[in-house]
Each structure stands twice: as C-alpha cells, then as structure tokens.
Amino acid sequence: MQFTPFSHPAWIEVDLVKFKQNIFNIKKYIGHDVKLCLPIKANAYGHGLVEIARAASTCVDYLAVSCLQEGIMLRLANVNIPILVLGAIHIEQITDLIKYDLEFTISSKYKAQLVIDECIKLNSIANIHLEIDTGMNRTGIRVSSAYETIEFIHTHPCLKIKGIYSHLASADTAEDEFNLIQINKFINFVQQLNLKQNGNILFHLANSAGTIYFSQTHLDMVRPGLLAFGYYPSYSSSQNKNIDVVACMAIKAKISYFKTVLAGEGIGYNHTFKTTKNTRVITIPIGYGDGVRRSLSNKGDIILNGNKYPIVGNICMDQFMVDIGDGSAYVGDIVTIIGKQELNEITIYDHAKLANTNTYEILCGFNNRLPRYYITEDGGYWES
Ligand SMILES: *Cc1c(COP(=O)(O)O)cnc(C)c1O
C-alpha cells in the first residue's frame, strides 16, 4: 500500500479475506438448508456498501439494506443478487423500488394497497416480504391482522410474497425471556399458515444474536449483520464463540506533527489535559468529524511502535493529540487507532465502552472522509 487517495493521511483498512472467512464460518454453522441474507445497511456497518456487496455477492443468497437509496447504489454498481429493503417504504419510492428490482417490506394492508395501485399503473409485479411484529413494536403487521392481510395480498397476483419475517428485540441478551415469547409467536404463526399458499415463501427471523444463540430461529434464512463483520453482541460474549468470526476493520493514520511540551502546559481546546512533566506529544490527523468519538478525549489510546499511548486533551473535529512520554516518533509514522499492532490491540468494543454506546454506532460512525483500503488474497486496492 503506497498511496492513499488524494494522499489522505488517515484511512480504514477492511480485510476482505477475513470477512469472507467469517461468511464461510457462518454458512458452515447454519448448514446447507438455511440461506444467508447479509445486512449491509449504513454503508455496510462502516465497511463500505458497494465493495462489501461485491465481495459478498458470490457467497450469500441475499443482501439487505435499510432504504431505497442504498438499494439503488447497489444496482447502479451492478450488484445483481436479490436485495431486500428492510425499512418502511414511502409512497413516492414505490416506482423506483420496482424499477430497480428491489424486494421490499410491506408492514400494513395500507402499504400493500399503495403498491398494488402502483403495479397496476406500471403494469408490473412487485416482490415483497411481509414483516410481522412479534413484539419489537417498530414496524410490522400484528399477528392478529396478518392472516387477513396475506389473504388480501393473495387476491392481487401483482404482489409476490417472497418472504415473511420478524425481528427480535432482545436476542443480544440471550437469557431474556422475551426472546422465547417472540420466537414462539413467530413459529406458531408460520405453522398456522396454510401450507399450500406458502409455496416458496422464505420465513426468516434471526439477526446476529438469533443466529448465535437460538438455532430454532434459523428457519429458511438468517440475517446476521454485525456477526459477519466479526463482532459478537458484546465483548464478554465474544470471549466464548460458537461461530468463529474475527473483526476485519482497522483504522490507521500517519503522525502529522511532533513536539516537546513543557511540564504544566495545557493541551487542546479548553486545556482539559495538563502535562505534569516535560513530555513528547504527537498530533494525529483524524477526529470526531471522521467518527472517532469525542467522548474518548483523555480516555482512549492509540498504538505506536507496538505500544499503547493515551489520547490527551479534547479530540478535535479533524485531529487529536497523544502523549508518548519519552517514546520516539517521526512525522509520517503510522499509528493504529483501531486494530492490532504487535502484542497490543484496540477494538471496536473498547471504543464502544469508552463512548458508552454499542459496537454498531461506533462502526457506522466511521464515515466517507476516511478512504477505505481493501485487503485481498493478492494484495489490496483503494475504494474508487
Ligand atoms: C439490522 C437488522 C438486522 C441485522 O442485525 P445484526 O444485529 O447486525 O445482526 C437483521 N434484521 C433486521 C430487520 C435489521 O434491521
């Protein structure tokens, strides 16, 4: 890796070899009879929507996105496998959902009628998945009105039901009793449906946590997002893995400045850190404008030459400072913000804990100001 695009001094590395191994290990765990749908919403959890879709499209059955615009981006990039839009649809999106051959979610009879009207206008069909609300209370048809909605859809052949699904609210807390309530509700519902009508309908329920902890949720297809990128629901759960996955994202930057600071000086905005002795301070050209949480100010670390050093002062929009004591460093040396260096490692779990949030929010917070470098079997390439 010689140059970053525009020679930008901070970047994300995504190891596609590890990512594909994760997918392979998940497939091995769920078995041949269960399909794999890979959720890649929010820029593939920060890993880059199009490149992750391209890497995955030969080894998964479905991709899932949250909204129309993510689906269109994939179609324009010539990703041709089935794509499911998970989020609620809006009336003005229906034409494009159909035109770009996206499968999308219907979660009320009202929305079904809107799509039917559009299909008649366009003289086309729409491939849909019905979402059943088993207790998440976000979107989805309640079980009590689902039978009637399905019958209504069956009287309109322009709507093809490709799948029926639900979403688990608490599967990351495996011992939460509500999981079994939701799971049983969905499985009972599936069993009550007239089997003749089910035909090729895919029933799906499991997110990452469901895939890991509740094999009875695997049904026809699973939808693990976080897991495919190498993370378990929590750090503690990642210490005891039944599916072997590893993180495939690293974040690195080149030191942009080096100086010696005298004892008693303040560093950065509002001088929230004051030196107690003469020390060496380096400046790193990445900040909260790129997704490094400001709440890591005076708490987080980076790795330089295999050693961890503390972030000092408030993290700025575009840079932050690190106290390296009497360590040595040169402008242009590469530091690791997320990832492994020799024996030390800083993980997404670490950032999530320090920022008092979850891994998902940290991952998708790393945005497009950081160019992405993709590591492959035979080298690597920059996202175009
Ligand atoms: C985001 C999402 C998933 C994937 O969740 P993970 O916890 O990342 O596995 C699955 N299903 C639906 C409906 C989602 O919105």
PDB file of all heavy atoms in Angstrom, residues 90-121:
ATOM      1  N   HIS A  90     -42.044   4.429   1.498  1.00  0.00           N
ATOM      2  CA  HIS A  90     -42.878   5.624   1.380  1.00  0.00           C
ATOM      3  C   HIS A  90     -43.465   5.678  -0.020  1.00  0.00           C
ATOM      4  O   HIS A  90     -42.832   5.215  -0.980  1.00  0.00           O
ATOM      5  CB  HIS A  90     -42.043   6.865   1.699  1.00  0.00           C
ATOM      6  CG  HIS A  90     -41.640   6.916   3.142  1.00  0.00           C
ATOM      7  ND1 HIS A  90     -42.329   7.640   4.084  1.00  0.00           N
ATOM      8  CD2 HIS A  90     -40.662   6.254   3.805  1.00  0.00           C
ATOM      9  CE1 HIS A  90     -41.775   7.435   5.274  1.00  0.00           C
ATOM     10  NE2 HIS A  90     -40.754   6.609   5.139  1.00  0.00           N
ATOM     11  N   ILE A  91     -44.624   6.250  -0.125  1.00  0.00           N
ATOM     12  CA  ILE A  91     -45.394   6.185  -1.373  1.00  0.00           C
ATOM     13  C   ILE A  91     -44.571   6.642  -2.577  1.00  0.00           C
ATOM     14  O   ILE A  91     -44.598   6.030  -3.629  1.00  0.00           O
ATOM     15  CB  ILE A  91     -46.732   6.973  -1.251  1.00  0.00           C
ATOM     16  CG1 ILE A  91     -47.564   6.839  -2.531  1.00  0.00           C
ATOM     17  CG2 ILE A  91     -46.511   8.422  -0.896  1.00  0.00           C
ATOM     18  CD1 ILE A  91     -49.004   7.306  -2.374  1.00  0.00           C
ATOM     19  N   GLU A  92     -43.778   7.693  -2.390  1.00  0.00           N
ATOM     20  CA  GLU A  92     -43.038   8.248  -3.527  1.00  0.00           C
ATOM     21  C   GLU A  92     -41.829   7.387  -3.919  1.00  0.00           C
ATOM     22  O   GLU A  92     -41.135   7.695  -4.872  1.00  0.00           O
ATOM     23  CB  GLU A  92     -42.627   9.702  -3.231  1.00  0.00           C
ATOM     24  CG  GLU A  92     -41.743   9.909  -2.022  1.00  0.00           C
ATOM     25  CD  GLU A  92     -42.511   9.991  -0.688  1.00  0.00           C
ATOM     26  OE1 GLU A  92     -43.691   9.595  -0.622  1.00  0.00           O
ATOM     27  OE2 GLU A  92     -41.883  10.436   0.307  1.00  0.00           O
ATOM     28  N   GLN A  93     -41.574   6.303  -3.190  1.00  0.00           N
ATOM     29  CA  GLN A  93     -40.436   5.429  -3.501  1.00  0.00           C
ATOM     30  C   GLN A  93     -40.850   4.177  -4.283  1.00  0.00           C
ATOM     31  O   GLN A  93     -39.988   3.451  -4.788  1.00  0.00           O
ATOM     32  CB  GLN A  93     -39.759   4.964  -2.198  1.00  0.00           C
ATOM     33  CG  GLN A  93     -39.226   6.094  -1.345  1.00  0.00           C
ATOM     34  CD  GLN A  93     -38.608   5.576  -0.054  1.00  0.00           C
ATOM     35  OE1 GLN A  93     -39.159   4.679   0.601  1.00  0.00           O
ATOM     36  NE2 GLN A  93     -37.473   6.125   0.326  1.00  0.00           N
ATOM     37  N   ILE A  94     -42.142   3.928  -4.368  1.00  0.00           N
ATOM     38  CA  ILE A  94     -42.590   2.617  -4.871  1.00  0.00           C
ATOM     39  C   ILE A  94     -42.157   2.370  -6.313  1.00  0.00           C
ATOM     40  O   ILE A  94     -41.679   1.292  -6.653  1.00  0.00           O
ATOM     41  CB  ILE A  94     -44.123   2.470  -4.697  1.00  0.00           C
ATOM     42  CG1 ILE A  94     -44.472   2.538  -3.202  1.00  0.00           C
ATOM     43  CG2 ILE A  94     -44.603   1.150  -5.291  1.00  0.00           C
ATOM     44  CD1 ILE A  94     -45.958   2.585  -2.899  1.00  0.00           C
ATOM     45  N   THR A  95     -42.277   3.405  -7.175  1.00  0.00           N
ATOM     46  CA  THR A  95     -41.876   3.237  -8.580  1.00  0.00           C
ATOM     47  C   THR A  95     -40.435   2.772  -8.679  1.00  0.00           C
ATOM     48  O   THR A  95     -40.122   1.828  -9.406  1.00  0.00           O
ATOM     49  CB  THR A  95     -42.020   4.582  -9.336  1.00  0.00           C
ATOM     50  OG1 THR A  95     -43.297   5.114  -9.056  1.00  0.00           O
ATOM     51  CG2 THR A  95     -41.855   4.382 -10.835  1.00  0.00           C
ATOM     52  N   ASP A  96     -39.540   3.428  -7.955  1.00  0.00           N
ATOM     53  CA  ASP A  96     -38.118   3.072  -8.044  1.00  0.00           C
ATOM     54  C   ASP A  96     -37.828   1.716  -7.390  1.00  0.00           C
ATOM     55  O   ASP A  96     -36.961   0.980  -7.860  1.00  0.00           O
ATOM     56  CB  ASP A  96     -37.246   4.154  -7.409  1.00  0.00           C
ATOM     57  CG  ASP A  96     -37.032   5.324  -8.357  1.00  0.00           C
ATOM     58  OD1 ASP A  96     -37.198   5.138  -9.585  1.00  0.00           O
ATOM     59  OD2 ASP A  96     -36.697   6.424  -7.879  1.00  0.00           O
ATOM     60  N   LEU A  97     -38.527   1.394  -6.311  1.00  0.00           N
ATOM     61  CA  LEU A  97     -38.329   0.077  -5.689  1.00  0.00           C
ATOM     62  C   LEU A  97     -38.596  -1.022  -6.717  1.00  0.00           C
ATOM     63  O   LEU A  97     -37.861  -2.003  -6.809  1.00  0.00           O
ATOM     64  CB  LEU A  97     -39.258  -0.087  -4.480  1.00  0.00           C
ATOM     65  CG  LEU A  97     -38.844   0.698  -3.226  1.00  0.00           C
ATOM     66  CD1 LEU A  97     -40.006   0.814  -2.243  1.00  0.00           C
ATOM     67  CD2 LEU A  97     -37.633   0.045  -2.549  1.00  0.00           C
ATOM     68  N   ILE A  98     -39.638  -0.825  -7.504  1.00  0.00           N
ATOM     69  CA  ILE A  98     -39.985  -1.820  -8.531  1.00  0.00           C
ATOM     70  C   ILE A  98     -38.991  -1.737  -9.689  1.00  0.00           C
ATOM     71  O   ILE A  98     -38.443  -2.751 -10.131  1.00  0.00           O
ATOM     72  CB  ILE A  98     -41.430  -1.595  -9.019  1.00  0.00           C
ATOM     73  CG1 ILE A  98     -42.410  -1.863  -7.876  1.00  0.00           C
ATOM     74  CG2 ILE A  98     -41.725  -2.471 -10.233  1.00  0.00           C
ATOM     75  CD1 ILE A  98     -43.846  -1.472  -8.160  1.00  0.00           C
ATOM     76  N   LYS A  99     -38.710  -0.524 -10.140  1.00  0.00           N
ATOM     77  CA  LYS A  99     -37.844  -0.324 -11.309  1.00  0.00           C
ATOM     78  C   LYS A  99     -36.442  -0.896 -11.076  1.00  0.00           C
ATOM     79  O   LYS A  99     -35.842  -1.465 -11.989  1.00  0.00           O
ATOM     80  CB  LYS A  99     -37.765   1.181 -11.583  1.00  0.00           C
ATOM     81  CG  LYS A  99     -36.975   1.555 -12.819  1.00  0.00           C
ATOM     82  CD  LYS A  99     -37.103   3.043 -13.115  1.00  0.00           C
ATOM     83  CE  LYS A  99     -35.745   3.622 -13.441  1.00  0.00           C
ATOM     84  NZ  LYS A  99     -35.709   5.087 -13.315  1.00  0.00           N
ATOM     85  N   TYR A 100     -35.917  -0.758  -9.861  1.00  0.00           N
ATOM     86  CA  TYR A 100     -34.566  -1.252  -9.570  1.00  0.00           C
ATOM     87  C   TYR A 100     -34.568  -2.696  -9.063  1.00  0.00           C
ATOM     88  O   TYR A 100     -33.569  -3.170  -8.533  1.00  0.00           O
ATOM     89  CB  TYR A 100     -33.847  -0.325  -8.587  1.00  0.00           C
ATOM     90  CG  TYR A 100     -33.398   0.957  -9.251  1.00  0.00           C
ATOM     91  CD1 TYR A 100     -34.183   2.112  -9.190  1.00  0.00           C
ATOM     92  CD2 TYR A 100     -32.210   1.005  -9.984  1.00  0.00           C
ATOM     93  CE1 TYR A 100     -33.794   3.282  -9.820  1.00  0.00           C
ATOM     94  CE2 TYR A 100     -31.809   2.178 -10.616  1.00  0.00           C
ATOM     95  CZ  TYR A 100     -32.597   3.306 -10.535  1.00  0.00           C
ATOM     96  OH  TYR A 100     -32.205   4.457 -11.165  1.00  0.00           O
ATOM     97  N   ASP A 101     -35.690  -3.367  -9.229  1.00  0.00           N
ATOM     98  CA  ASP A 101     -35.784  -4.786  -8.899  1.00  0.00           C
ATOM     99  C   ASP A 101     -35.368  -5.067  -7.450  1.00  0.00           C
ATOM    100  O   ASP A 101     -34.584  -5.973  -7.169  1.00  0.00           O
ATOM    101  CB  ASP A 101     -34.912  -5.604  -9.881  1.00  0.00           C
ATOM    102  CG  ASP A 101     -35.159  -7.090  -9.737  1.00  0.00           C
ATOM    103  OD1 ASP A 101     -36.240  -7.468  -9.242  1.00  0.00           O
ATOM    104  OD2 ASP A 101     -34.247  -7.879 -10.084  1.00  0.00           O
ATOM    105  N   LEU A 102     -35.885  -4.249  -6.545  1.00  0.00           N
ATOM    106  CA  LEU A 102     -35.599  -4.456  -5.123  1.00  0.00           C
ATOM    107  C   LEU A 102     -36.789  -5.171  -4.490  1.00  0.00           C
ATOM    108  O   LEU A 102     -37.943  -4.876  -4.829  1.00  0.00           O
ATOM    109  CB  LEU A 102     -35.357  -3.106  -4.442  1.00  0.00           C
ATOM    110  CG  LEU A 102     -34.195  -2.313  -5.038  1.00  0.00           C
ATOM    111  CD1 LEU A 102     -34.213  -0.860  -4.551  1.00  0.00           C
ATOM    112  CD2 LEU A 102     -32.861  -2.970  -4.694  1.00  0.00           C
ATOM    113  N   GLU A 103     -36.506  -6.127  -3.621  1.00  0.00           N
ATOM    114  CA  GLU A 103     -37.571  -6.722  -2.827  1.00  0.00           C
ATOM    115  C   GLU A 103     -37.734  -5.818  -1.614  1.00  0.00           C
ATOM    116  O   GLU A 103     -36.751  -5.320  -1.075  1.00  0.00           O
ATOM    117  CB  GLU A 103     -37.185  -8.155  -2.417  1.00  0.00           C
ATOM    118  CG  GLU A 103     -37.021  -9.040  -3.651  1.00  0.00           C
ATOM    119  CD  GLU A 103     -36.638 -10.485  -3.334  1.00  0.00           C
ATOM    120  OE1 GLU A 103     -36.837 -10.931  -2.194  1.00  0.00           O
ATOM    121  OE2 GLU A 103     -36.145 -11.155  -4.259  1.00  0.00           O
ATOM    122  N   PHE A 104     -38.970  -5.569  -1.231  1.00  0.00           N
ATOM    123  CA  PHE A 104     -39.136  -4.614  -0.133  1.00  0.00           C
ATOM    124  C   PHE A 104     -40.208  -5.058   0.840  1.00  0.00           C
ATOM    125  O   PHE A 104     -40.980  -5.973   0.570  1.00  0.00           O
ATOM    126  CB  PHE A 104     -39.381  -3.201  -0.662  1.00  0.00           C
ATOM    127  CG  PHE A 104     -40.510  -3.071  -1.649  1.00  0.00           C
ATOM    128  CD1 PHE A 104     -41.780  -2.723  -1.217  1.00  0.00           C
ATOM    129  CD2 PHE A 104     -40.294  -3.302  -2.993  1.00  0.00           C
ATOM    130  CE1 PHE A 104     -42.823  -2.601  -2.123  1.00  0.00           C
ATOM    131  CE2 PHE A 104     -41.336  -3.188  -3.913  1.00  0.00           C
ATOM    132  CZ  PHE A 104     -42.606  -2.841  -3.476  1.00  0.00           C
ATOM    133  N   THR A 105     -40.205  -4.379   1.976  1.00  0.00           N
ATOM    134  CA  THR A 105     -41.007  -4.808   3.116  1.00  0.00           C
ATOM    135  C   THR A 105     -42.373  -4.145   3.117  1.00  0.00           C
ATOM    136  O   THR A 105     -42.474  -2.922   2.970  1.00  0.00           O
ATOM    137  CB  THR A 105     -40.258  -4.454   4.415  1.00  0.00           C
ATOM    138  OG1 THR A 105     -39.000  -5.131   4.407  1.00  0.00           O
ATOM    139  CG2 THR A 105     -41.049  -4.877   5.640  1.00  0.00           C
ATOM    140  N   ILE A 106     -43.388  -4.969   3.285  1.00  0.00           N
ATOM    141  CA  ILE A 106     -44.748  -4.455   3.477  1.00  0.00           C
ATOM    142  C   ILE A 106     -45.114  -4.740   4.927  1.00  0.00           C
ATOM    143  O   ILE A 106     -44.990  -5.874   5.387  1.00  0.00           O
ATOM    144  CB  ILE A 106     -45.742  -5.191   2.549  1.00  0.00           C
ATOM    145  CG1 ILE A 106     -45.445  -4.887   1.076  1.00  0.00           C
ATOM    146  CG2 ILE A 106     -47.174  -4.845   2.904  1.00  0.00           C
ATOM    147  CD1 ILE A 106     -45.832  -3.496   0.640  1.00  0.00           C
ATOM    148  N   SER A 107     -45.537  -3.698   5.630  1.00  0.00           N
ATOM    149  CA  SER A 107     -45.895  -3.957   7.020  1.00  0.00           C
ATOM    150  C   SER A 107     -47.250  -3.375   7.387  1.00  0.00           C
ATOM    151  O   SER A 107     -47.514  -3.097   8.551  1.00  0.00           O
ATOM    152  CB  SER A 107     -44.795  -3.471   7.966  1.00  0.00           C
ATOM    153  OG  SER A 107     -44.391  -2.201   7.614  1.00  0.00           O
ATOM    154  N   SER A 108     -48.124  -3.231   6.380  1.00  0.00           N
ATOM    155  CA  SER A 108     -49.531  -2.916   6.651  1.00  0.00           C
ATOM    156  C   SER A 108     -50.340  -3.156   5.382  1.00  0.00           C
ATOM    157  O   SER A 108     -49.786  -3.167   4.275  1.00  0.00           O
ATOM    158  CB  SER A 108     -49.701  -1.460   7.101  1.00  0.00           C
ATOM    159  OG  SER A 108     -49.384  -0.581   6.036  1.00  0.00           O
ATOM    160  N   LYS A 109     -51.636  -3.325   5.563  1.00  0.00           N
ATOM    161  CA  LYS A 109     -52.524  -3.512   4.415  1.00  0.00           C
ATOM    162  C   LYS A 109     -52.564  -2.227   3.591  1.00  0.00           C
ATOM    163  O   LYS A 109     -52.633  -2.259   2.364  1.00  0.00           O
ATOM    164  CB  LYS A 109     -53.926  -3.864   4.934  1.00  0.00           C
ATOM    165  CG  LYS A 109     -54.845  -4.372   3.855  1.00  0.00           C
ATOM    166  CD  LYS A 109     -56.145  -4.866   4.479  1.00  0.00           C
ATOM    167  CE  LYS A 109     -57.203  -5.053   3.396  1.00  0.00           C
ATOM    168  NZ  LYS A 109     -58.516  -5.352   3.982  1.00  0.00           N
ATOM    169  N   TYR A 110     -52.470  -1.107   4.284  1.00  0.00           N
ATOM    170  CA  TYR A 110     -52.474   0.193   3.607  1.00  0.00           C
ATOM    171  C   TYR A 110     -51.312   0.291   2.619  1.00  0.00           C
ATOM    172  O   TYR A 110     -51.480   0.672   1.459  1.00  0.00           O
ATOM    173  CB  TYR A 110     -52.404   1.294   4.672  1.00  0.00           C
ATOM    174  CG  TYR A 110     -52.040   2.664   4.134  1.00  0.00           C
ATOM    175  CD1 TYR A 110     -52.951   3.390   3.375  1.00  0.00           C
ATOM    176  CD2 TYR A 110     -50.783   3.219   4.393  1.00  0.00           C
ATOM    177  CE1 TYR A 110     -52.621   4.645   2.881  1.00  0.00           C
ATOM    178  CE2 TYR A 110     -50.455   4.471   3.903  1.00  0.00           C
ATOM    179  CZ  TYR A 110     -51.377   5.175   3.148  1.00  0.00           C
ATOM    180  OH  TYR A 110     -51.031   6.406   2.659  1.00  0.00           O
ATOM    181  N   LYS A 111     -50.104  -0.096   3.066  1.00  0.00           N
ATOM    182  CA  LYS A 111     -48.932  -0.036   2.175  1.00  0.00           C
ATOM    183  C   LYS A 111     -49.095  -1.046   1.031  1.00  0.00           C
ATOM    184  O   LYS A 111     -48.712  -0.777  -0.109  1.00  0.00           O
ATOM    185  CB  LYS A 111     -47.644  -0.324   2.952  1.00  0.00           C
ATOM    186  CG  LYS A 111     -47.302   0.734   4.022  1.00  0.00           C
ATOM    187  CD  LYS A 111     -46.523   1.892   3.448  1.00  0.00           C
ATOM    188  CE  LYS A 111     -46.313   3.010   4.465  1.00  0.00           C
ATOM    189  NZ  LYS A 111     -45.134   2.878   5.292  1.00  0.00           N
ATOM    190  N   ALA A 112     -49.681  -2.193   1.339  1.00  0.00           N
ATOM    191  CA  ALA A 112     -49.899  -3.197   0.280  1.00  0.00           C
ATOM    192  C   ALA A 112     -50.786  -2.599  -0.813  1.00  0.00           C
ATOM    193  O   ALA A 112     -50.497  -2.747  -2.007  1.00  0.00           O
ATOM    194  CB  ALA A 112     -50.530  -4.450   0.869  1.00  0.00           C
ATOM    195  N   GLN A 113     -51.830  -1.902  -0.395  1.00  0.00           N
ATOM    196  CA  GLN A 113     -52.736  -1.298  -1.382  1.00  0.00           C
ATOM    197  C   GLN A 113     -52.003  -0.255  -2.230  1.00  0.00           C
ATOM    198  O   GLN A 113     -52.200  -0.178  -3.447  1.00  0.00           O
ATOM    199  CB  GLN A 113     -53.937  -0.653  -0.666  1.00  0.00           C
ATOM    200  CG  GLN A 113     -54.976  -0.077  -1.609  1.00  0.00           C
ATOM    201  CD  GLN A 113     -55.654  -1.151  -2.463  1.00  0.00           C
ATOM    202  OE1 GLN A 113     -56.300  -2.071  -1.944  1.00  0.00           O
ATOM    203  NE2 GLN A 113     -55.487  -1.066  -3.787  1.00  0.00           N
ATOM    204  N   LEU A 114     -51.139   0.544  -1.620  1.00  0.00           N
ATOM    205  CA  LEU A 114     -50.369   1.548  -2.381  1.00  0.00           C
ATOM    206  C   LEU A 114     -49.520   0.875  -3.449  1.00  0.00           C
ATOM    207  O   LEU A 114     -49.414   1.356  -4.584  1.00  0.00           O
ATOM    208  CB  LEU A 114     -49.443   2.345  -1.450  1.00  0.00           C
ATOM    209  CG  LEU A 114     -50.079   3.270  -0.411  1.00  0.00           C
ATOM    210  CD1 LEU A 114     -48.990   3.928   0.434  1.00  0.00           C
ATOM    211  CD2 LEU A 114     -50.949   4.315  -1.082  1.00  0.00           C
ATOM    212  N   VAL A 115     -48.907  -0.255  -3.084  1.00  0.00           N
ATOM    213  CA  VAL A 115     -48.033  -0.961  -4.038  1.00  0.00           C
ATOM    214  C   VAL A 115     -48.876  -1.578  -5.157  1.00  0.00           C
ATOM    215  O   VAL A 115     -48.488  -1.523  -6.331  1.00  0.00           O
ATOM    216  CB  VAL A 115     -47.186  -2.026  -3.318  1.00  0.00           C
ATOM    217  CG1 VAL A 115     -46.336  -2.800  -4.317  1.00  0.00           C
ATOM    218  CG2 VAL A 115     -46.281  -1.371  -2.272  1.00  0.00           C
ATOM    219  N   ILE A 116     -50.027  -2.134  -4.797  1.00  0.00           N
ATOM    220  CA  ILE A 116     -50.918  -2.705  -5.821  1.00  0.00           C
ATOM    221  C   ILE A 116     -51.303  -1.624  -6.831  1.00  0.00           C
ATOM    222  O   ILE A 116     -51.226  -1.833  -8.047  1.00  0.00           O
ATOM    223  CB  ILE A 116     -52.173  -3.322  -5.158  1.00  0.00           C
ATOM    224  CG1 ILE A 116     -51.779  -4.581  -4.382  1.00  0.00           C
ATOM    225  CG2 ILE A 116     -53.239  -3.638  -6.204  1.00  0.00           C
ATOM    226  CD1 ILE A 116     -52.813  -5.033  -3.365  1.00  0.00           C
ATOM    227  N   ASP A 117     -51.680  -0.453  -6.338  1.00  0.00           N
ATOM    228  CA  ASP A 117     -52.059   0.650  -7.236  1.00  0.00           C
ATOM    229  C   ASP A 117     -50.926   0.981  -8.197  1.00  0.00           C
ATOM    230  O   ASP A 117     -51.141   1.200  -9.389  1.00  0.00           O
ATOM    231  CB  ASP A 117     -52.402   1.913  -6.423  1.00  0.00           C
ATOM    232  CG  ASP A 117     -53.647   1.716  -5.568  1.00  0.00           C
ATOM    233  OD1 ASP A 117     -54.387   0.732  -5.812  1.00  0.00           O
ATOM    234  OD2 ASP A 117     -53.868   2.534  -4.643  1.00  0.00           O
ATOM    235  N   GLU A 118     -49.700   0.990  -7.651  1.00  0.00           N
ATOM    236  CA  GLU A 118     -48.537   1.339  -8.473  1.00  0.00           C
ATOM    237  C   GLU A 118     -48.256   0.240  -9.506  1.00  0.00           C
ATOM    238  O   GLU A 118     -47.922   0.528 -10.662  1.00  0.00           O
ATOM    239  CB  GLU A 118     -47.317   1.554  -7.567  1.00  0.00           C
ATOM    240  CG  GLU A 118     -46.146   2.227  -8.229  1.00  0.00           C
ATOM    241  CD  GLU A 118     -46.431   3.641  -8.703  1.00  0.00           C
ATOM    242  OE1 GLU A 118     -47.303   4.315  -8.104  1.00  0.00           O
ATOM    243  OE2 GLU A 118     -45.795   4.055  -9.696  1.00  0.00           O
ATOM    244  N   CYS A 119     -48.408  -1.010  -9.096  1.00  0.00           N
ATOM    245  CA  CYS A 119     -48.186  -2.138 -10.017  1.00  0.00           C
ATOM    246  C   CYS A 119     -49.165  -2.059 -11.188  1.00  0.00           C
ATOM    247  O   CYS A 119     -48.795  -2.324 -12.338  1.00  0.00           O
ATOM    248  CB  CYS A 119     -48.381  -3.471  -9.309  1.00  0.00           C
ATOM    249  SG  CYS A 119     -46.994  -3.920  -8.264  1.00  0.00           S
ATOM    250  N   ILE A 120     -50.404  -1.702 -10.895  1.00  0.00           N
ATOM    251  CA  ILE A 120     -51.413  -1.614 -11.955  1.00  0.00           C
ATOM    252  C   ILE A 120     -51.023  -0.492 -12.923  1.00  0.00           C
ATOM    253  O   ILE A 120     -51.020  -0.668 -14.139  1.00  0.00           O
ATOM    254  CB  ILE A 120     -52.817  -1.383 -11.348  1.00  0.00           C
ATOM    255  CG1 ILE A 120     -53.249  -2.668 -10.605  1.00  0.00           C
ATOM    256  CG2 ILE A 120     -53.830  -1.016 -12.434  1.00  0.00           C
ATOM    257  CD1 ILE A 120     -54.479  -2.502  -9.733  1.00  0.00           C
ATOM    258  N   LYS A 121     -50.587   0.633 -12.360  1.00  0.00           N
ATOM    259  CA  LYS A 121     -50.168   1.766 -13.194  1.00  0.00           C
ATOM    260  C   LYS A 121     -49.003   1.377 -14.103  1.00  0.00           C
ATOM    261  O   LYS A 121     -48.952   1.724 -15.277  1.00  0.00           O
ATOM    262  CB  LYS A 121     -49.726   2.929 -12.288  1.00  0.00           C
ATOM    263  CG  LYS A 121     -50.584   4.170 -12.449  1.00  0.00           C
ATOM    264  CD  LYS A 121     -49.944   5.364 -11.764  1.00  0.00           C
ATOM    265  CE  LYS A 121     -50.486   5.565 -10.353  1.00  0.00           C
ATOM    266  NZ  LYS A 121     -49.720   6.528  -9.557  1.00  0.00           N
TER     267      LYS A 121
END
